[in-house]
Amino acid sequence: QVHLVESGGGSVQAGGSLRLSCVGSGYDSSLHYFLGWFRQSPGKEREGVAAFYTYYSSTYYADSVKGRFTISQDKATNTLYLQMNSLKPEDTAVYYCAARPGGGWWNEASTYKFWGQGTQVTVSS
């Protein structure tokens, strides 16, 4: 059973930066995983922000965050990061870390099996 714990959320002004962290445990070392960041704001569906596929160390981004957000992984500590720069008010949401073994579409939330508890990011104008 994979366990995920996020941290690093907070409140910033537009144009500011935050770095989210997600510490994972319980991974099966014989499997490769999609590790994703999703976000959800009130009244909206959960949307994929970015993902990292461990097999290729490949990264994927939503168009709305390309060039501003960077996803990375520290294998030694099983920590997934999301560096968020040039934040905008529309980035305000609860951000979730998620994981699933295997491939498929990176941004399909329903395919992710394991989820963290979420961390709030608020960007003021």
Side-chain angles (χ1 to χ4, degrees):
Q1 185 80 0
V2 174
H3 185 57
L4 304 169
V5 180
E6 304 103 330
S7 61
S11 298
V12 295
Q13 290 193 323
S17 298
L18 283 173
R19 188 176 78 159
L20 305 183
S21 301
C22 173
V23 178
S25 60
Y27 292 113
D28 184 333
S29 60
S30 68
L31 300 177
H32 289 282
Y33 289 82
F34 261 103
L35 308 175
W37 286 101
F38 289 78
R39 66 186 181 187
Q40 189 168 23
S41 49
K44 293 188 177 181
E45 290 189 359
R46 193 166 295 190
E47 63 170 344
V49 175
F52 182 95
Y53 187 34
T54 62
Y55 187 68
Y56 298 116
S57 294
S58 50
T59 57
Y60 308 84
Y61 295 95
D63 287 343
S64 58
V65 305
K66 278 181 183 175
R68 300 189 297 124
F69 290 11
T70 303
I71 190 171
S72 61
Q73 183 202 33
D74 183 338
K75 288 186 66 175
T77 61
N78 280 335
T79 303
L80 184 72
Y81 296 103
L82 185 68
Q83 177 66 43
M84 306 186 294
N85 298 328
S86 302
L87 283 161
K88 304 176 181 179
E90 51 264 43
D91 294 318
T92 295
V94 177
Y95 283 70
Y96 298 90
C97 174
R100 70 154 196 254
W105 292 105
W106 71 268
N107 57 352
E108 288 285 345
S110 62
T111 65
Y112 283 77
K113 186 174 180 180
F114 306 106
W115 291 86
Q117 81 286 355
T119 185
Q120 176 71 46
V121 171
T122 303
V123 184
S124 58
S125 57

